[in-house]
Amino acid sequence: MANFPRVTKDSSPEKETAQNQFDETDTGKCEMAALDLHNNVTLDPNSHLKSTSTEHARAIAPPPTTGSNESQSNWNVKDDWRRSVPSFYPLEKSNRTVKGATASVVSGRVSDCCRLLSVQAEFDDKAGTASLTTAEHVEIHLSLWSAGGDGEPACIIVEAQRRTGDPIKYHQYIRHILDAAQGTFNAVNVGSSNLKTDVMDKKEKGSSQSNDDKSLSALEIAAILIKKDRMDARRLGMESLCFLTDPSRTGVDTALVASRAVLFGSAQNDNDDDVEFLADELGVREAILSLVQYGRLNESNDMPPDSDSDEDTTRIHDEEKSFNDILHNLALAVLSNALEVLETHGDDFAPSSESKLSQATNDFLKESKEISHRELIDSLLNVLGQAEAKPHDACLSAQCLRSLLQASKKARRKARDMNAKQIVATALEVGQRTHVKLQTETLGVLRELEKPEDEDREDDN
């Protein structure tokens, strides 16, 4: 029998159903009135945060409270809230039935879990729904339903629907969220995937120079995809660059080649004269800077094809804007990865004994201004200033800023002149309320900005 999409009052037609079966009954251990999610918690496994143990403890602490006794949850559904499951409404398999807890307790648990997992969320207290967006561009719709009565104990049903994005990532996130709603969330079990990083790096370091040819070929393919006029091709090219600049996924050697192309327009250092490859012709650096600083691949606003109505024109414009927002986020991720590689393997970028990390960073900032006619630090601070609306972009911007300020005293002075402390403090407040990764990264930026002025007087060329 054919499967037809269904429409609910809270969602658009569903094109697919979650494949993993979740328990629809509670385990009977959810009689506690609230769940403390702040003890023994680690960050999300996909996090590339480099915070100290002190910063980590500060990041997972509960959000700051005011003098009132009101709940500090971002999702405040009232205890007397009721919304029954409609007749003939088939619940998604990704749902969980929670007994012994009120709607306010369940919504508070979910809200706090989203903060710990650094998931952007828009909550509707009256409808009992939430729209979630992860850092991997997975969009999730949550619905609360009230059940019970007629002799059965009252309970809350939490239903999750995947709107778009990677289904594997969706299930990784939704398991934690549903566990949190049920009162059994334990984030200690989340951090297992980082164990493979060091092994992969060591294997890559021991490999032969023949891997450079494969790396250059992959970089060229990514650059060709970015230059195409199709939206899916451009996104695939940017995602390829994210992969190539991440040492934990491709190895150090490949990440070095790709990061050189992103930061300096050359896929080789001064000692690799035998490699015939011109990264400048690919335009990788120009594409990244254009997306980071202008939010699009070029400065010209190409008009979409003629449409039959103004409504079609508006729809095409909205789709293009949404697409450019995704490319902007991916470009920030590529730049963050490249700067992290520069910070960790700066000697490979500057093989000369007279060169140093600060000089390489200053050269990058100078060349980026010559290419885009804008200060990169100013553009990153502008992104950080939009932390309330785009916390994932702000987090990546903070990572870039921390790497630049840590490597260059000249960049630190420029940031202070641009009123960076106030912008970072505002983003930190947003992170404390909604986004642990953003909180941790902004703390790192503040630490760099608050370094004594005496450290900045050293010659920085």
Side-chain angles (χ1 to χ4, degrees):
M1 180 181 297
N3 294 324
F4 295 97
R6 60 180 174 81
V7 181
T8 71
K9 62 182 179 181
D10 294 315
S11 64
S12 58
E14 298 297 322
K15 296 183 179 179
E16 54 187 305
T17 302
Q19 297 177 356
N20 286 10
Q21 177 69 44
F22 291 83
D23 294 335
E24 298 185 1
T25 58
D26 189 49
T27 59
K29 299 180 180 179
C30 304
E31 298 181 355
M32 58 182 106
L35 173 66
D36 184 5
L37 290 173
H38 308 297
N39 296 329
N40 299 325
V41 175
T42 60
L43 295 178
D44 182 79
N46 297 316
S47 170
H48 298 289
L49 304 178
K50 295 173 286 186
S51 60
T52 62
S53 58
T54 302
E55 290 176 342
H56 178 76
R58 294 172 64 184
I60 64 176
T65 59
T66 60
S68 64
N69 295 326
E70 296 180 358
S71 172
Q72 296 300 316
S73 171
N74 298 310
W75 195 10
N76 298 303
V77 180
K78 297 183 180 296
D79 287 338
D80 57 355
W81 171 89
R82 293 290 184 274
R83 188 176 68 146
S84 301
V85 179
S87 302
F88 308 107
Y89 176 88
L91 287 171
E92 291 280 359
K93 292 183 179 180
S94 52
N95 73 79
R96 195 71 59 87
T97 300
V98 183
K99 299 178 181 178
T102 62
S104 63
V105 172
V106 173
S107 62
R109 292 171 178 174
V110 172
S111 170
D112 209 5
C113 180
C114 289
R115 184 184 75 88
L116 294 172
L117 297 179
S118 298
V119 175
Q120 182 182 2
E122 295 181 5
F123 299 113
D124 188 332
D125 298 340
K126 294 182 179 180
T129 60
S131 297
L132 312 181
T133 305
T134 73
E136 297 83 9
H137 309 107
V138 179
E139 296 182 7
I140 305 170
H141 182 79
L142 290 182
S143 298
L144 298 184
W145 304 98
S146 57
D150 295 334
E152 297 182 2
C155 60
I156 300 295
I157 300 176
V158 184
E159 180 192 27
Q161 300 173 348
R162 181 178 70 91
R163 294 298 173 80
T164 186
D166 185 356
I168 296 178
K169 287 293 182 183
Y170 163 75
H171 286 296
Q172 290 175 351
Y173 276 98
I174 210 59
R175 282 194 184 97
H176 297 313
I177 293 173
L178 293 179
D179 285 346
Q182 195 175 30
T184 59
F185 175 57
N186 184 4
V188 177
N189 301 326
V190 191
S192 59
S193 62
N194 290 333
L195 300 177
K196 300 179 180 179
T197 302
D198 294 337
V199 177
M200 186 174 185
D201 289 348
K202 290 178 181 179
K203 289 182 179 180
E204 186 69 17
K205 287 181 180 179
S207 60
S208 63
Q209 294 294 329
S210 61
N211 286 333
D212 285 346
D213 295 336
K214 297 180 180 179
S215 301
L216 296 177
S217 177
L219 183 62
E220 184 176 8
I221 293 173
I224 293 174
L225 288 172
I226 293 174
K227 288 185 177 180
K228 291 184 177 294
D229 57 355
R230 296 196 344 253
M231 292 183 178
D232 57 341
R234 290 182 176 183
R235 178 171 179 175
L236 181 59
M238 292 301 303
E239 290 175 344
S240 299
L241 282 180
C242 289
F243 183 86
L244 292 172
T245 53
D246 188 349
S248 66
R249 303 168 70 183
T250 61
V252 175
D253 292 342
T254 301
L256 281 171
V257 172
S259 297
R260 290 192 195 104
V262 170
L263 298 178
F264 304 107
S266 174
Q268 57 188 6
N269 59 34
D270 296 339
N271 296 331
D272 292 338
D273 295 333
D274 56 328
V275 180
E276 296 181 359
F277 188 79
L278 298 177
D280 288 333
E281 297 180 359
L282 298 179
V284 172
R285 176 172 58 169
E286 290 73 13
I288 297 299
L289 290 175
S290 178
L291 283 169
V292 169
Q293 298 189 280
Y294 294 97
R296 54 185 183 272
L297 278 174
N298 51 58
E299 298 184 24
S300 61
N301 287 323
D302 297 332
M303 293 299 295
D306 293 337
S307 302
D308 296 335
S309 65
D310 294 338
E311 183 178 349
D312 291 338
T313 302
T314 303
R315 179 182 57 80
I316 294 175
H317 178 73
D318 292 341
E319 291 177 354
E320 183 178 358
K321 182 180 183 302
S322 176
F323 169 74
N324 284 331
D325 289 342
I326 294 177
L327 290 187
H328 176 67
N329 177 270
L330 292 173
L332 286 170
V334 172
L335 182 60
S336 174
N337 289 343
L339 289 173
E340 184 177 351
V341 173
L342 171 63
E343 176 185 348
T344 308
H345 307 280
D347 294 339
D348 295 311
F349 279 88
S352 174
S353 59
E354 298 179 357
S355 301
K356 53 184 180 180
L357 178 61
S358 61
Q359 183 61 48
T361 304
N362 291 334
D363 290 343
F364 164 67
L365 290 174
K366 180 180 178 181
E367 293 175 5
S368 66
K369 184 178 180 180
E370 293 175 352
I371 293 173
S372 60
H373 308 291
R374 281 189 183 181
E375 285 285 356
L376 180 60
I377 294 178
D378 185 43
S379 297
L380 293 174
L381 287 174
N382 289 336
V383 175
L384 190 60
Q386 302 175 20
E388 188 74 46
K390 299 179 179 180
H392 296 316
D393 289 356
C395 180
L396 293 171
S397 176
Q399 291 178 11
C400 296
L401 284 169
R402 184 197 54 76
S403 297
L404 291 172
L405 301 186
Q406 183 175 351
S408 170
K409 300 178 180 66
K410 184 180 293 185
R412 207 177 302 153
R413 289 194 294 268
K414 285 184 179 180
R416 292 195 185 107
D417 294 339
M418 296 175 182
N419 196 27
K421 283 188 177 181
Q422 182 176 350
I423 297 174
V424 175
T426 302
L428 174 60
E429 190 273 333
V430 175
Q432 289 173 335
R433 288 188 290 105
T434 63
H435 202 285
V436 160
K437 291 182 184 178
L438 175 60
Q439 176 185 353
T440 306
E441 291 299 333
T442 49
L443 284 173
V445 177
L446 277 179
R447 185 179 64 248
E448 297 299 327
L449 291 172
E450 292 173 354
K451 283 185 176 179
E453 293 287 345
D454 294 340
E455 297 185 14
D456 296 347
R457 295 178 183 176
E458 182 181 342
D459 179 41
D460 208 15
N461 294 332

